[in-house]
Amino acid sequence: MNSRSDRRRSDALSRLARVYVELLIRLVKFCSRRAVWVVVAGVLLSAASVYYAINHFAITTDTSQALSRDLPFRQMQERFDHAFPQLDGTMLVVIDGQTGGLASDAARRLTQWLQQHDDHIEDVYQPGGGEFFRRNGLLYLSTDELWALSDRLSQAQPLISQLTRDPTLPGMIALLEQGLDRATGSGPQIAGLGTLFTELGNAMQAQQQGRYYAIPWDELITGDVAKTGGRRVFVIVKPRLYYDKMQPAQRALDTVRAGARALQLDAAHGVRVRLTGAAALDNEQLRTVSHGTGLAIGLSIGMVLVLLILGLHSARLVVATLITLLMGLSWTAAFALLATAPLNLISIAFVVLFVGLGVDFGIQFCMRYREEYAIHGGRPQALCGTAAGIGSALSLAAVAAAVSFYSFVPTSYAGIVDLGLISGTSMFIALFANLTVLPALLSLMPGTPPRARRVPQIPLWRLPVRRYGRTVAVGAAVIAVGTIPLVLNVHFDFNPLHLQNMDTEAVKTFEDLLANSEISPYRIDVLEPDLQHADALAQRLGKLKVVSNAITLDSYVPDDQPQKLPIIQQMALLMPPFVLGTAPNTSAALPAAIGSALRGFEMKLLAFANAHPQHALAAPARALAGVIPGYLRYAAAAPQRLTVLQQRVLGGLFARLHDLSASLNPAPVTRATLPDSLKRRYVAPSGATRIEVYSTLNLGSNINMRRFVDAVRTVAPDATGAPVMLVEGGRAVVDAFIEASLISLGLIALLLLISLQSIVDMFMVLIPLGFAALLTVAAMELSGLSFNLANIIVLPLLIGLGVAFGIYLVVRWRNGVDITQLLRTSTPGAVLYSALTTMSSFGSLAVAGDPGMAVLGKTLLLALTAVLVSILILLPVLLLFRKRPYAAAAGNE
């Protein structure tokens, strides 16, 4: 009963297949007879499509919507961004100075400049900057640090007092000479005299060499206190993003750079300004992607053209194929904008995918047409024979490729959904174009196509199949087993930073911060309903080994203020009164006076070193004495160089003393007295409160980032921020593509089963596909490639492409062509050139300037090579084990 039912079902499917083939033949015949009208209609439709595409073209560069909003961690990030919009999509201005004072001054000046030039900037914030921290900064030190600072100020008090009376380089030299006189006595000493000698010599040598050098007075006076602040400061800029532009943050970046130029924040003035952060990184990647895409498309079309010429050996076939390809591309572009506008940075890749896959149908059709022409000798008969012989295979291949693309649509990777919809539909557009426009063009074009060329009978085709078939099969099995350890070792790199050009300023700076900065650009944020809950959770988070600090607004209220305030008040008594007023003019001394003071100082230094050769000051004194003559010869050519030296030596001193003086009169800090700009970054208008969590680990490592995220989320499941988005987003992307691959494989297997009506033949197509997948992953591991956000698309694509190529061989074999005869037909050659054109199209991405596109191109090359080897070598061997091809069409080659 079951066998009778199966037979009836098989007969029904066979009749349906014959009806479909007959419809294809009629379609091709109609298009060849009405060729002019078909071509005119195609041209008009293409013109309308191009017009629509030009007038409706829109692209968004907003990468924040790449993952579905239904994912829990995405919903948490959106709630956080809604509460603190000023923290989303910021850029980080990293300012390094020769001294901490230069860096702080530069950050303060740049912040003020940007606040006055905010056309393309929404918000500017300097962490630890502003008048509040300038006045109350000492309260954030420990009591031990305050006592140590008090001791250093006591030692530096004579130097400070003397320079306030004579704030010139000759005045400083006179003070240093007094220090030499006292160095061997028992009177009061000048602390750090040898260091001052060394720094003065460094300043003179740097000026001679054309370098900027400023004496680090903040470190000389305050010691470790200044070193805790470091020589690096940050300014956080929230840019206005223009998503209708290819580089949304470019205007804000240009504004920051213009500010740095206007304020002379450069190496010539002891400062380096670099830009990084999310907005700068995205902007840089979008720039490389836009440049790389243009190069890839141009190279793709050029290489496809070359291969078409080599494979088709006919100008008319090449021209007809290219015209058909371009028409199909225009129709696809119009559909893409109609169905999914605006395009995103992933979906725009449909152009390269269509060129690579769409041309496959043209090659298959033309090469079979050339073979049929050689048999029948007439154009109408050849076209009908082509439709009958390859139409069903083309249709199956189109459906298989479309299924592999459509499998993206139900996934949670929203960024790839549009690409799946566009590219899946484009396969049917390509099929329609090649069954209508291409036959019409072939009917209209003059000339006779060259005779079909038989595949040369060389060992590549004959020996593996007939003589070494079993050896090839066993060898493939051994290779497949051998790849398993490599396949199991492959991993997914979820960090998009690894897909960017590592030589760009934004990436290099970001990596530098990850490795060296205590304030990592990667931090986790937790949103709590109020400050009380936030403080309690922050305490729990702070106990985790992977957490260095968990900060809330209350973290900015200093501890032990009753003990610290008296210490600071005592230090205020050591500061001279001038510091509260205007800084003295450090350029008052004339060049002649400075030169005279330096010459006298040289003799003083030499005399001291000769008289006290064993004294600790002898070596630095002799070294400075050796620098002065050369510097004086250098300054003789331009005496104003002496006043420049004076400014560089003393200019920073009084600026640092002013900052220090301002911090010696703090007021008690409470939650209420904290600045509004700080409060807004930790407490939202709704009362929701932010916890900022930093890690003890170097988050440049994916393993460390996973440890950090997993540990924090065990305590705070609703944690968000860049590390959470990267780790959980990576997991979501992997799940999405596993889902897409399973959907693609399942639907294609069902399609093959229905169309081939044989489980064995279905596996004949799928087994080489599995072998190609193993080869691809193993080759990736051997070549150092990991799966990442760019190339994970290869998994479902490989299924569609592998099946499409295999279908051409299996369908013709099922039509009654013996395997040896099959390898002499145009089909394997068409598969070869189709694969080569697809490889050249996708492989063009490998030379793109964008690393993400390049790794995608390299992975696709490996995958397509594996598919080609599997289809042209392993599949014929597997077909050989089938005792005989179907006899229904025996002898029909």
Side-chain angles (χ1 to χ4, degrees):
M1 187 70 178
N2 288 336
S3 61
R4 189 180 305 167
S5 173
D6 291 341
R7 195 178 305 114
R8 284 200 300 268
R9 187 181 304 111
S10 176
D11 291 341
L13 289 173
S14 297
R15 286 195 299 271
L16 182 62
R18 287 195 295 272
V19 170
Y20 179 74
V21 171
E22 181 62 30
L23 289 175
L24 292 181
I25 294 172
R26 291 182 180 182
L27 176 64
V28 171
K29 187 180 296 184
F30 173 83
C31 292
S32 63
R33 289 177 177 175
R34 301 289 188 273
V36 173
W37 292 107
V38 171
V39 172
V40 169
V43 170
L44 292 176
L45 181 58
S46 299
S49 298
V50 171
Y51 178 82
Y52 181 87
I54 291 174
N55 287 277
H56 293 82
F57 182 80
I59 184 170
T60 176
T61 52
D62 184 2
T63 58
S64 64
Q65 307 303 320
L67 293 171
S68 170
R69 292 185 176 183
D70 296 331
L71 295 169
F73 67 91
R74 278 281 288 127
Q75 294 175 347
M76 188 59 227
Q77 183 66 47
E78 287 195 358
R79 287 198 294 271
F80 181 84
D81 292 340
H82 179 73
F84 298 99
Q86 71 273 30
L87 304 180
D88 179 40
T90 59
M91 70 175 72
L92 191 64
V93 184
V94 183
I95 302 176
D96 295 291
Q98 277 191 5
T99 69
L102 283 173
S104 297
D105 289 345
R108 182 166 58 246
R109 294 167 58 207
L110 182 60
T111 300
Q112 293 171 351
W113 192 94
L114 292 175
Q115 289 170 343
Q116 297 168 3
H117 300 76
D118 60 353
D119 290 348
H120 305 298
I121 292 174
E122 292 185 16
D123 184 64
V124 183
Y125 177 74
Q126 183 187 349
E131 187 58 31
F132 173 84
F133 287 102
R134 188 166 180 253
R135 185 176 69 253
N136 301 298
L138 293 181
L139 289 174
Y140 293 92
L141 302 177
S142 67
T143 53
D144 290 341
E145 289 173 326
L146 285 174
W147 281 122
L149 175 59
S150 179
D151 290 341
R152 290 189 67 89
L153 286 179
S154 296
Q155 296 173 8
Q157 201 275 339
L159 174 66
I160 296 172
S161 298
Q162 176 66 26
L163 288 177
T164 58
R165 290 191 292 270
D166 187 4
T168 63
L169 190 54
M172 177 179 172
I173 290 173
L175 182 62
L176 297 179
E177 289 177 343
Q178 292 177 19
L180 279 177
D181 293 337
R182 298 173 184 174
T184 55
S186 56
Q189 306 290 313
I190 296 178
L193 194 60
T195 302
L196 289 172
F197 290 168
T198 301
E199 291 294 341
L200 182 58
N202 290 340
M204 287 190 285
Q205 287 180 319
Q207 189 181 2
Q208 284 180 265
Q209 297 167 4
R211 295 183 293 109
Y212 186 92
Y213 188 85
I215 293 179
W217 287 108
D218 46 354
E219 297 174 12
L220 295 179
I221 294 174
T222 62
D224 292 338
V225 172
K227 293 178 182 178
T228 58
R231 298 182 178 185
R232 172 175 290 170
V233 295
F234 305 95
V235 177
I236 300 174
V237 177
K238 168 75 172 177
R240 299 186 194 278
L241 300 177
Y242 303 92
Y243 289 119
D244 58 333
K245 306 295 183 183
M246 196 61 194
Q247 295 170 260
Q250 188 61 51
R251 293 176 180 174
L253 288 164
D254 292 342
T255 299
V256 175
R257 293 191 175 104
R261 287 193 300 270
L263 299 174
Q264 296 183 316
L265 305 182
D266 51 33
H269 297 85
V271 174
R272 179 171 65 159
V273 176
R274 293 177 292 168
L275 303 180
T276 189
L281 289 168
D282 289 347
N283 203 74
E284 185 61 41
Q285 185 171 34
L286 294 172
R287 184 185 67 82
T288 58
V289 165
S290 62
H291 293 172
T293 301
L295 174 63
I297 292 174
L299 187 59
S300 171
I301 294 175
M303 294 181 69
V304 165
L305 178 60
V306 171
L307 286 168
L308 283 176
I309 294 172
L310 292 176
L312 299 180
H313 298 285
S314 167
R316 67 191 296 268
L317 294 182
V318 170
V319 171
T321 302
L322 285 178
I323 291 175
T324 305
L325 178 68
L326 293 176
M327 281 190 179
L329 183 58
S330 68
W331 303 346
T332 302
F335 168 79
L337 292 167
L338 179 65
T340 67
L343 301 174
N344 60 54
L345 290 171
I346 300 176
S347 64
I348 200 171
F350 81 85
V351 177
V352 174
L353 294 178
F354 183 87
V355 171
L357 295 174
V359 76
D360 166 56
F361 299 154
I363 290 175
Q364 295 289 339
F365 193 97
C366 286
M367 294 191 75
R368 183 60 178 264
Y369 168 70
R370 192 176 63 184
E371 180 182 345
E372 295 290 336
Y373 195 97
I375 295 172
H376 299 292
R379 184 175 296 123
Q381 298 87 343
L383 286 173
C384 291
T386 301
I390 201 171
S392 59
L394 281 179
S395 301
L396 275 175
V399 173
V403 165
S404 69
F405 285 119
Y406 283 143
S407 65
F408 300 158
V409 175
T411 69
S412 59
Y413 191 10
I416 208 75
V417 169
D418 287 354
L419 177 63
L421 178 61
I422 297 169
S423 297
T425 305
S426 75
M427 294 299 96
F428 295 112
I429 292 175
L431 176 65
F432 177 76
N434 282 279
L435 291 176
T436 56
V437 175
L438 184 56
L441 289 171
L442 294 177
S443 298
L444 291 177
M445 288 185 174
T448 302
R451 295 181 60 82
R453 297 189 177 187
R454 306 176 76 86
V455 178
Q457 297 301 299
I458 56 177
L460 174 65
W461 300 110
R462 297 189 65 185
L463 295 183
V465 177
R466 286 296 182 191
R467 188 174 302 178
Y468 299 115
R470 295 186 182 277
T471 302
V472 170
V474 172
V478 171
I479 292 173
V481 173
T483 62
I484 292 177
L486 294 172
V487 171
L488 295 176
N489 196 47
V490 77
H491 66 282
F492 177 73
D493 184 354
F494 57 80
N495 196 335
L497 190 68
H498 300 157
L499 296 177
Q500 294 196 234
N501 186 347
M502 303 304 291
D503 294 328
T504 62
E505 176 189 83
V507 176
K508 290 170 68 175
T509 305
F510 200 87
E511 291 278 6
D512 182 28
L513 295 179
L514 284 176
N516 302 315
S517 176
E518 295 180 0
I519 305 179
S520 172
Y522 281 149
R523 81 280 185 275
I524 288 178
D525 293 307
V526 184
L527 197 63
E528 286 293 290
D530 53 50
L531 192 52
Q532 182 179 354
H533 286 86
D535 287 339
L537 181 57
Q539 289 184 359
R540 293 166 55 199
L541 289 169
K543 295 177 182 179
L544 297 174
K545 292 182 179 179
V546 297
V547 173
S548 64
N549 210 353
I551 300 172
T552 68
L553 182 65
D554 281 345
S555 302
Y556 289 90
V557 179
D559 298 327
D560 303 323
Q561 293 186 64
Q563 291 78 31
K564 295 176 181 177
L565 287 169
I567 303 174
I568 296 173
Q569 291 170 358
Q570 292 181 29
M571 285 191 285
L573 299 176
L574 300 173
M575 297 298 292
F578 96 90
V579 176
L580 300 177
T582 304
N585 182 7
T586 55
S587 301
L590 296 175
I594 298 172
S596 177
L598 285 172
R599 282 188 287 271
F601 191 32
E602 176 195 358
M603 292 185 291
K604 189 83 173 181
L605 291 166
L606 288 174
F608 178 87
N610 292 331
H612 309 285
Q614 303 303 317
H615 196 278
L617 288 175
R622 192 180 300 280
L624 179 55
V627 171
I628 291 175
Y631 177 78
L632 289 174
R633 289 192 297 272
Y634 161 79
Q640 66 272 19
R641 292 172 177 172
L642 292 165
T643 56
V644 171
L645 174 66
Q646 180 174 246
Q647 178 61 34
R648 292 185 181 180
V649 169
L650 293 173
L653 170 64
F654 299 106
R656 303 291 70 77
L657 291 177
H658 271 286
D659 288 343
L660 181 59
S661 177
S663 68
L664 294 176
N665 189 29
V669 175
T670 65
R671 187 189 299 171
T673 62
L674 291 172
D676 291 340
S677 60
L678 178 64
K679 292 178 184 178
R680 287 194 298 270
R681 303 184 79 80
Y682 287 93
V683 180
S686 64
T689 302
R690 169 197 181 202
I691 307 172
E692 193 175 17
V693 187
Y694 290 94
S695 180
T696 57
L697 307 173
N698 180 349
L699 299 186
S701 162
N702 288 350
I703 295 175
N704 287 345
M705 193 180 296
R706 286 195 191 97
R707 285 181 56 199
F708 180 43
V709 169
D710 292 342
V712 170
R713 296 195 80 198
T714 58
V715 178
D718 289 335
T720 187
V724 175
M725 292 295 291
L726 291 177
V727 171
E728 295 300 331
R731 290 167 178 163
V733 168
V734 171
D735 291 343
F737 277 96
I738 291 175
E739 180 185 359
S741 298
L742 292 176
I743 291 173
S744 177
L745 183 60
L747 291 178
I748 288 175
L750 181 61
L751 171 69
L752 291 173
L753 186 60
I754 293 173
S755 59
L756 300 180
Q757 305 174 41
S758 168
I759 294 179
V760 176
D761 288 351
M762 177 191 74
F763 280 108
M764 286 293 178
V765 177
L766 294 181
I767 288 174
L769 174 63
F771 183 66
L774 290 174
L775 287 181
T776 299
V777 178
M780 289 175 61
E781 181 66 19
L782 290 173
S783 59
L785 294 175
S786 61
F787 281 111
N788 51 53
L789 294 170
N791 66 4
I792 197 170
I793 190 178
V794 169
L795 292 175
L797 272 182
L798 183 145
I799 296 173
L801 291 174
V803 169
F805 291 149
I807 283 173
Y808 298 130
L809 292 177
V810 171
V811 168
R812 192 153 197 192
W813 172 81
R814 283 171 55 87
N815 285 339
V817 182
D818 177 79
I819 187 63
T820 303
Q821 293 299 110
L822 174 62
L823 294 178
R824 297 175 181 173
T825 67
S826 63
T827 301
V831 169
L832 174 64
Y833 278 101
S834 292
L836 290 177
T837 54
T838 305
M839 290 170 65
S840 66
S841 179
F842 290 163
S844 65
L845 297 172
V847 299
D850 178 66
M853 294 178 67
V855 75
L856 172 59
K858 293 173 184 176
T859 309
L860 284 168
L861 275 176
L862 291 177
L864 288 168
T865 301
V867 166
L868 189 60
V869 169
S870 301
I871 295 301
L872 291 183
I873 295 180
L874 181 59
L875 179 58
V877 169
L878 295 177
L879 294 178
L880 182 67
F881 293 151
R882 294 279 280 163
K883 296 304 181 182
R884 57 191 294 272
Y886 287 81
N892 178 16
E893 299 182 18

